[in-house]
Amino acid sequence: MNFHPLKPLHEILRLNEDPNVQGLALDLPESLYSSKILNAVKPEKDVDGLSDVNLGRLVRGEDSDYLVSPTAGAVMELLEDLDGKRVLLVGINGALGSSLQCLLQRRGAITASCHWKSPGLQSKLHHVDVVIAGSPKPESVPVSWLKPGTTIINCSSDLLSGRQKKHNYGQKNSNTTENAVCSLAVAIRMQNMVKNTERWIHSQQLRKWDLHCLKLQPLSPVPSDIEISRAQSPKAVDVLAKEIGLLTDEIEIYGQTKAKVRLSLLERLKDQPDGKYVLVAGITPTPLGEGKSTVTIGLVQALTAHLKINSFACLRQPSQGPTFGVKGGAAGGGYAQVIPMEEFNLHLTGDIHAITAANNLLAAAIDARILHENTQSDKALYNRLVPVVKGVRGFSSIQLARLRRLGINKTDPETLTEEEISRFVRLDIDPSTITWQRVVDTNDRFLRKITIGQANTEKGFVRQAQFDIAVASEIMAILALTTSLEDMKERLGKIVVANDKKGEPVTAEDLGVTGALAVLMKDAIKPTLMQTLEGTPVFVHAGPFANIAHGNSSILADKIALKLVGEKGFVVTEAGFGADIGMEKFFNIKCRASGLVPSVVVLVATVRALKMHGGGPSVSAGAPLKKEYTEENLQLVADGCCNLQKQIQIAQLFGVPVVVALNVFKTDSPAEVDLVCKIAKQSGAFDAVPCNHWSDGGRGAVKLAQAVEKAANQKSSFKYLYSLELPIAEKIKTIAQKVYGAQDIELSPAAQSQIDRYTRQGFGKLPICMAKTHLSLSHQPEKKGVPTGFILPISDVRASIGAGFIYPLVGTMSTMPGLPTRPCFYDIDLDPVTEEVKGLF
């Protein structure tokens, strides 16, 4: 693109970031050609070949990577048989001079350079065969200084613009070639533009990864997670991005080790086939932990660093509540981690903060609207909602949309009747039906029930409310399930926050806040790129609760990763809690929203967790493990495998092959490990593999990776558990009986009332997201193994209409964790000298 800007640097920087511009050709006055201007052009857009990056490639002889300056190329086209010839460059400096010197010397010429006023110029001119002039010959330099037969070439920087200056070198003893250089330079510039466009087209296509994996040197005993993380030096994130085929304009870098990835990549790679899609789930969780995140990371490290298969891990972003509370970090563990783990576990790129801001803006809008409607007349409300600005009154676009929903097809605010004005300005929210709560990303039990509106300025509008933890916000679930910016905006508008006094739903769109919510979320929608300890790529994006929401990372991260790994690559993602909760929701909710089909389920178990399901003693935090968990006990293991068998059967309901990953601990006996693998295979698992990635990194999960690769080649017969056309109660019953093993369900009067209301409001065809304890297949957390014959009580039914699911409550469900007596924050500290974080685990 040629331009004649008054401020060339500003214009160059603007065009650098324009994705529709693939090349920049500078056409400036000679006085403006400076190193700063030339190097402002991005190397990949430099069609004049004059940036330092391009010159460096030229000097090193990287033929395929550099472009020859059009003027320098034209000069070289005109010169023949340069071997041993003496060439003098006069008045040529900077990038053009460097290009010419390199190209001339490569052709065997002996080069020198000087200015027209250089001492000894006469002698220099008399002893050379070729003179290449970059500026006009002054009158003080006579033509007689040139020896007869000297070839003279004018390559003024004005050539390409046609602003040539008349050079007087005489005609007898020189062969001036100004017109030829000009024409050739224009032609070579066009060639450069074509070459640059070909490069751009090639860059848009999926390329084989050129991934440099990081070496691990595992220690024994295994150090703490943060010590392991800190001992590894991660690659710069822009380097990682380039290795996996991301373009420079597709990433937004946050520091050295994190970057947002733009959704434009999906359009660029829309015709590329997806890779294989793997879900990591687990048996019913126990306080002993199963290690799903560790398996996810170990598996991709094995696939990519050891088997040389493209793979991506897609993980949820952890809440800071548990990080400072009781659970600690969630970056994996041992030698299978996301690094830097402190950045992963803390603010990351601010997505949860954006969700908090958006959520609380909507909450503030609800209470403010109720207050204003309670204290103002229709006319006063209308005048404030549709004010006169500079003598003109007009509706905003979101207000026009509300008018259309009300059946008022008018665009002039002055034409509404009193009745239409009243319908427009009054939402008539019933405060007792408000379901939208404020959120904060901290475990704070004293916010579970609060009273708001106690200040005199709120004029007596007092009501009970509560805070939820930020990741329980419906906006987090929307982020995880959205498929585009447009889809996210639509979902945000559909959020139902309350009912009006007629029993009809009130939405974020009715409150006029949809656009503002989308603005707050515009960066959060982009997945964050990080890496494992072995330098393989990871997406961290979204982190919805796995009980009242669906407990899976984002669809967008999965979709982008599936394109980047290519048809033979693997994307490994993780579902929260046990397979009965996270996996069921992954299939019935996430896969419905995404349209993606899973290839394999990796089901994670441990010997000691199975012992607990087999009737082992309870475990207390901080207390030493009882001998049942540290000594061989084959009967206890065999009894506990009933839970593993049940989870395999649940996966088989969806037609997906299962590979069992057994996380091995040093207290496990070989006989116990063999027994679990044997029972798993007998129960229908495609394979069952002991894994040692926690202590050995990817090398310890190579057999798991090989089993997953084989299982992914099986013919898929994936299917959903239920039809969306079924009534809400039937869908709940299907999950309870087929997944949990319940005999039946029991709906409370409140639950039945809500089901009737949601059906009447048109929400009956949404999928179901069961909110129940994760510690048992039943509703009773103390019931381990595989409970049977129980009646599942449904105490209430609620809806996340924006996210797109109905969530029945099984018993009571806390959405705000509390801090224990000794929270994790006792051990977390910051070194004021090195700024290193201490105590995260």
Side-chain angles (χ1 to χ4, degrees):
M1 177 177 286
N2 288 19
F3 52 88
H4 300 269
L6 295 174
K7 296 181 178 179
L9 185 60
H10 177 271
E11 185 71 1
I12 288 169
L13 294 175
R14 183 186 70 80
L15 292 170
N16 275 343
E17 302 307 317
D18 188 338
N20 297 314
V21 175
Q22 277 73 58
L24 291 178
L26 301 184
D27 184 7
L28 304 170
E30 189 172 357
S31 60
L32 291 179
Y33 280 92
S34 65
S35 177
K36 184 176 182 180
I37 291 292
L38 295 175
N39 286 301
V41 180
K42 279 188 173 180
E44 61 268 26
K45 295 189 178 187
D46 175 22
V47 298
D48 287 329
L50 296 176
S51 67
D52 287 351
V53 171
N54 192 76
L55 289 173
R57 291 170 178 166
L58 172 64
V59 171
R60 291 194 300 270
E62 299 172 0
D63 294 343
S64 61
D65 283 340
Y66 70 80
L67 294 176
V68 174
S69 154
T71 303
V75 171
M76 298 307 295
E77 285 289 330
L78 291 170
L79 294 172
E80 299 177 356
D81 190 22
L82 285 169
D83 195 26
K85 296 284 182 70
R86 297 179 180 273
V87 181
L88 182 65
L89 279 62
V90 187
I92 303 176
N93 300 309
L96 178 58
S98 300
S99 295
L100 279 168
Q101 295 242 28
C102 179
L103 293 168
L104 288 163
Q105 290 170 12
R106 199 171 285 172
R107 293 264 297 272
I110 302 166
T111 64
S113 63
C114 65
H115 298 286
W116 287 114
K117 295 182 180 180
S118 296
L121 178 62
Q122 180 177 358
S123 175
K124 292 176 182 177
L125 289 171
H126 192 70
H127 289 91
V128 296
D129 304 297
V130 180
V131 174
I132 303 174
S135 58
K137 178 182 75 65
E139 294 294 330
S140 59
V141 177
V143 174
S144 61
W145 286 11
L146 295 164
K147 76 176 183 181
T150 300
T151 299
I152 302 169
I153 295 179
N154 164 31
C155 61
S156 164
S157 58
D158 284 337
L159 276 172
L160 287 166
S161 65
R163 296 190 295 268
Q164 288 179 263
K165 300 171 184 176
K166 188 65 179 174
H167 289 226
N168 181 17
Y169 297 103
Q171 298 299 318
K172 286 187 178 181
N173 59 349
S174 67
N175 300 308
T176 57
T177 54
E178 294 176 3
N179 291 334
V181 172
C182 178
S183 300
L184 278 169
V186 171
I188 291 171
R189 174 181 271 181
M190 293 301 295
Q191 285 181 340
N192 284 356
M193 289 180 176
V194 171
K195 186 174 181 180
N196 226 46
T197 303
E198 288 173 344
R199 280 181 180 175
W200 178 81
I201 292 171
H202 178 70
S203 74
Q204 302 302 296
Q205 299 168 349
L206 185 68
R207 301 190 304 277
K208 185 178 179 181
W209 285 9
D210 183 22
L211 195 69
H212 169 68
C213 293
L214 304 178
K215 298 297 182 184
L216 277 185
Q217 293 180 326
L219 301 177
S220 182
V222 177
S224 70
D225 289 351
I226 197 163
E227 287 175 318
I228 293 171
S229 173
R230 199 160 283 155
Q232 185 66 288
S233 297
K235 293 178 282 191
V237 72
D238 58 331
V239 172
L240 173 64
K242 185 176 181 181
E243 288 177 344
I244 62 174
L246 287 164
L247 307 182
T248 53
D249 61 359
E250 290 173 341
I251 61 170
E252 299 168 4
I253 295 175
Y254 285 64
Q256 296 296 312
T257 56
K258 299 170 292 186
K260 286 284 192 184
V261 175
R262 294 175 179 165
L263 307 188
S264 58
L265 177 143
L266 286 171
E267 177 62 25
R268 173 170 70 89
L269 298 181
K270 64 183 178 182
D271 296 326
Q272 300 296 336
D274 289 344
K276 304 291 187 181
Y277 197 26
V278 179
L279 176 70
V280 175
I283 61 172
T284 302
T286 69
L288 293 165
E290 287 66 56
K292 294 193 302 296
S293 298
T294 310
V295 167
T296 301
I297 301 304
L299 176 54
V300 294
Q301 287 180 181
L303 283 165
T304 301
H306 298 269
L307 299 183
K308 308 305 178 187
I309 299 171
N310 291 357
S311 73
F312 233 110
C314 292
L315 298 178
R316 290 180 292 166
Q317 179 183 354
S319 165
Q320 287 181 184
T323 298
F324 290 101
V326 68
K327 185 176 182 292
Y335 287 99
Q337 290 188 56
V338 180
I339 57 171
M341 67 95 76
E342 57 265 52
E343 294 189 25
F344 176 92
N345 284 312
L346 297 176
H347 305 282
L348 199 64
T349 47
D351 294 356
I352 292 179
H353 301 310
I355 289 164
T356 301
N359 184 100
N360 292 345
L361 175 63
L362 180 52
I366 297 165
D367 291 312
R369 186 59 175 262
I370 294 172
L371 172 69
H372 294 314
E373 288 189 23
N374 285 345
T375 56
Q376 296 179 53
S377 65
D378 289 353
K379 182 177 180 181
L381 279 170
Y382 192 62
N383 287 338
R384 287 181 170 88
L385 287 170
V386 193
V388 176
V389 179
K390 296 181 180 179
V392 179
R393 171 181 275 185
F395 293 116
S396 68
S397 59
I398 200 165
Q399 289 177 327
L400 288 169
R402 172 162 167 75
L403 286 170
R404 289 192 295 270
R405 288 197 305 278
L406 293 171
I408 303 171
N409 297 312
K410 296 179 179 179
T411 57
D412 183 352
E414 305 299 340
T415 62
L416 267 66
T417 66
E418 287 187 4
E419 186 268 340
E420 288 171 338
I421 287 173
S422 181
R423 289 171 58 208
F424 172 73
V425 301
R426 295 209 174 270
L427 299 179
D428 279 332
I429 295 171
D430 180 353
S432 68
T433 67
I434 294 173
T435 55
W436 194 259
Q437 310 297 346
R438 289 163 173 83
V439 300
V440 63
D441 198 31
T442 304
N443 289 6
D444 192 345
R445 65 176 66 245
F446 283 89
L447 295 178
R448 289 171 176 168
K449 182 176 285 189
I450 60 173
T451 303
I452 61 172
Q454 292 188 340
N456 293 333
T457 50
E458 275 50 75
K459 303 178 182 179
F461 175 57
V462 178
R463 70 178 182 92
Q464 278 199 340
Q466 68 185 59
F467 270 78
D468 295 336
I469 197 161
V471 293
S473 170
E474 184 178 345
I475 295 178
M476 175 63 91
I478 287 172
L479 177 65
L481 288 170
T482 195
T483 54
S484 67
L485 196 54
E486 183 181 357
D487 178 61
M488 182 179 73
K489 188 176 177 182
E490 184 179 335
R491 287 174 180 269
L492 290 169
K494 288 180 179 178
I495 293 172
V496 174
V497 299
N499 292 323
D500 64 19
K501 292 172 183 175
K502 294 179 181 178
E504 295 304 313
V506 178
T507 66
E509 188 80 1
D510 292 323
L511 286 159
V513 74
T514 306
L517 299 181
V519 167
L520 287 169
M521 294 293 293
K522 71 179 181 66
D523 293 319
I525 196 174
K526 303 164 191 171
T528 298
L529 176 66
M530 294 186 75
Q531 63 193 282
T532 68
L533 277 166
E534 297 191 53
T536 66
V538 178
F539 274 141
V540 187
H541 199 214
F545 254 28
N547 43 31
I548 66 162
H550 63 292
N552 287 269
S553 60
S554 80
I555 286 173
L556 282 170
D558 292 354
K559 285 197 165 190
I560 292 173
L562 284 164
K563 294 297 183 187
L564 286 171
V565 297
E567 191 172 8
K568 295 182 179 179
F570 286 80
V571 171
V572 184
T573 189
E574 175 195 342
F577 297 149
D580 57 302
I581 295 182
M583 183 186 71
E584 181 270 315
K585 294 175 182 180
F586 173 86
F587 291 144
N588 282 321
I589 298 175
K590 185 176 179 180
C591 289
R592 284 187 202 267
S594 68
L596 298 173
V597 176
S599 307
V600 182
V601 168
V602 174
L603 192 62
V604 181
T606 64
V607 166
R608 58 189 194 176
L610 291 171
K611 285 180 175 179
M612 178 169 278
H613 282 296
S618 60
V619 175
S620 301
L625 289 178
K626 295 180 180 178
K627 65 181 179 64
E628 286 86 350
Y629 298 112
T630 58
E631 297 176 4
E632 183 177 288
N633 191 324
L634 295 177
Q635 187 59 52
L636 208 54
V637 172
D639 292 344
C641 278
C642 62
N643 188 270
L644 175 61
Q645 291 171 304
K646 174 63 175 175
Q647 304 290 8
I648 293 171
Q649 291 165 9
I650 294 170
Q652 290 173 333
L653 290 173
F654 297 91
V656 182
V658 178
V659 174
V660 171
L662 186 66
N663 265 334
V664 176
F665 288 77
K666 63 182 180 181
T667 54
D668 301 342
S669 74
E672 289 174 327
V673 170
D674 290 344
L675 178 62
V676 174
C677 292
K678 178 182 176 182
I679 292 174
K681 292 175 187 176
Q682 290 173 345
S683 303
F686 176 83
D687 204 348
V689 185
C691 304
N692 295 286
H693 44 269
W694 182 81
S695 58
D696 296 337
R699 188 181 65 212
V702 167
K703 289 184 179 178
L704 173 64
Q706 291 168 334
V708 167
E709 186 182 13
K710 289 178 184 176
N713 290 323
Q714 301 295 300
K715 185 177 179 181
S716 176
S717 56
F718 174 67
K719 57 184 179 293
Y720 301 120
L721 184 65
Y722 53 80
S723 166
L724 294 181
E725 300 298 320
L726 288 174
I728 292 174
E730 282 301 309
K731 286 182 279 197
I732 297 171
K733 186 175 180 179
T734 299
I735 296 171
Q737 292 180 329
K738 291 189 176 181
V739 176
Y740 306 150
Q743 180 180 329
D744 204 347
I745 62 171
E746 183 177 58
L747 296 171
S748 72
Q752 186 63 62
S753 175
Q754 285 291 76
I755 287 174
D756 294 341
R757 172 176 286 172
Y758 291 139
T759 303
R760 186 178 68 252
Q761 291 175 342
F763 304 139
K765 295 184 179 180
L766 292 175
I768 302 300
C769 184
M770 299 293 287
K772 79 168 194 69
T773 179
H774 58 288
L775 297 174
S776 173
L777 285 161
S778 74
H779 57 288
Q780 298 171 290
E782 70 278 6
K783 299 286 187 182
K784 305 301 180 186
V786 182
T788 57
F790 59 93
I791 306 296
L792 193 73
I794 310 298
S795 59
D796 199 359
V797 177
R798 298 176 188 169
S800 292
I801 303 303
F805 52 72
I806 303 291
Y807 64 98
L809 297 177
V810 181
T812 57
M813 189 62 56
S814 175
T815 52
M816 171 55 79
L819 291 174
T821 303
R822 193 185 190 283
C824 297
F825 63 63
Y826 275 89
D827 301 309
I828 297 172
D829 201 0
L830 181 70
D831 187 314
V833 177
T834 64
E835 298 186 12
E836 282 191 346
V837 176
K838 300 177 179 179
L840 278 180
F841 63 93

